[in-house]
């Protein structure tokens, strides 16, 4: 009788494992193949012109908006963020992907965790910087920067960027991929970033650039709402 019970229990466990494996495969196919293809087809008419001031995800979905800029050479950008206490993000590799997962799950520090790729001006970001807001990498301030062909009056290079705050980790509202969710008030994050750089003594002057106007109900590549002036 005990042997029969054991055999039935083993079969039940095997069945549960098969169901779990099937569900995992189905989720991977839905999140990383089917839904991204749906959004690409749905948004293929969206204007990707740089004047739109919106980044794009690797699936060509509109991402976070461009909301900050810096003028200076490459070395100055690196020194300014370093002085302000912002870390350059690690490249996305298998090792760094495992480490950020461990950081979130086990609440471990990872101040230079990788930041997902977004595209602007037809290419991925040139720089990505972050500043932790918790013990792990689930909450953090972060910004991506793209070098532009434009120059300022003094000949300095113009860098345009997208600054936002990662408030937690979850599933994308659009594709159910694992992703960070951003806080809606991206103007507050832009202002906090500028305050950090200013306190570090690296801002000589500031000025406003014309954008596309206020956005009260924007949504990024993860489906998170944002608003900005």
């Amino acid at each position: 009788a005990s042997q029969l019970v054991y055999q039935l229990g083993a079969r039940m466990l095997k069945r549960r494992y098969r169901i779990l494996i099937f569900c995992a495969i189905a989720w991977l196919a839905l999140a990383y193949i089917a839904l991204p293809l749906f959004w690409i087809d749905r948004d293929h008419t969206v204007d990707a012109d740089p004047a739109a001031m919106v980044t794009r995800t690797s699936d060509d979905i509109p991402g976070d908006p461009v909301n900050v800029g810096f003028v200076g050479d490459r070395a100055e950008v690196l020194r300014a963020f370093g002085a302000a206490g912002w870390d350059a993000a690690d490249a996305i590799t298998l090792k760094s992907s495992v480490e950020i997962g461990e950081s979130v799950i086990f609440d471990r520090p990872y101040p230079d965790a990788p930041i997902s790729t977004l595209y602007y001006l037809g290419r991925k970001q040139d720089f990505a910087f972050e500043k932790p807001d918790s013990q792990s990498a689930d909450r953090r301030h972060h910004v991506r920067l793209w070098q532009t062909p434009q120059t300022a009056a003094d000949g300095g290079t113009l860098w345009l960027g997208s600054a936002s705050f990662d408030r937690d980790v979850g599933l994308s509202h659009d594709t159910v991929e694992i992703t960070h969710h951003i806080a809606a008030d991206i103007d507050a994050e832009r202002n906090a970033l500028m305050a950090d750089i200013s306190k570090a003594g690296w801002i000589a002057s500031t000025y406003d650039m014309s954008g596309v106007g206020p956005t009260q109900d924007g949504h990024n590549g993860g489906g998170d709402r944002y608003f900005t002036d």
Side-chain angles (χ1 to χ4, degrees), residues 61-206:
I61 302 171
D64 297 342
V66 173
N67 63 346
V68 68
F70 295 94
V71 174
D73 62 33
R74 198 176 189 89
E76 288 173 330
V77 170
L78 288 169
R79 289 199 297 269
F81 275 87
W86 286 61
D87 294 297
D90 285 346
I92 299 175
T93 63
L94 177 60
K95 181 176 182 291
S96 65
S97 298
V98 171
E99 287 180 349
I100 191 174
E102 291 176 342
S103 170
V104 172
I105 295 171
F106 301 110
D107 200 28
R108 295 175 181 171
Y110 191 0
D112 47 1
I115 291 174
S116 62
T117 299
L118 289 179
Y119 293 84
Y120 185 64
L121 303 174
R123 67 179 192 280
K124 65 182 182 180
Q125 65 263 15
D126 296 289
F127 286 130
F129 299 98
E130 63 192 298
K131 186 175 78 168
D133 188 64
S134 68
Q135 177 73 7
S136 73
D138 60 342
R139 290 173 59 87
R140 59 185 178 178
H141 308 271
H142 69 303
V143 62
R144 300 172 179 87
L145 295 179
W146 288 263
Q147 183 176 351
T148 76
Q150 297 174 256
T151 56
D154 62 358
T157 300
L158 172 64
W159 303 77
L160 292 179
S162 177
S164 58
F165 177 70
D166 284 338
R167 54 183 173 81
D168 60 27
V169 173
L171 298 180
S172 166
H173 303 301
D174 292 337
T175 63
V176 298
E177 296 175 6
I178 297 173
T179 187
H180 277 91
H181 292 298
I182 67 168
D185 188 356
I186 61 171
D187 291 344
E189 187 63 12
R190 173 198 64 198
N191 296 339
L193 167 62
M194 299 303 288
D196 282 351
I197 302 293
S198 180
K199 288 177 183 177
W202 276 87
I203 292 183
S205 62
T206 62

Side-chain angles (χ1 to χ4, degrees), residues 210-222:
S210 298
V212 296
T215 299
Q216 296 301 321
D217 195 30
H219 290 82
N220 72 353

Side-chain angles (χ1 to χ4, degrees), residues 3-48:
Q3 184 179 7
L4 178 61
V5 171
Y6 172 78
Q7 289 175 343
L8 290 175
R11 289 177 182 175
M12 185 174 295
L13 283 175
K14 287 182 179 179
R15 183 180 180 186
R16 288 178 178 176
Y17 284 138
R18 288 171 183 165
I19 292 174
L20 286 174
I21 291 172
F22 172 80
C23 290
I25 293 173
W27 169 71
L28 288 170
L30 178 68
Y32 292 92
I33 299 176
L35 286 177
L37 288 174
F38 165 78
W39 285 103
I40 289 173
D41 181 68
R42 181 179 184 271
D43 290 336
H44 75 281
T45 58
V46 175
D47 185 8

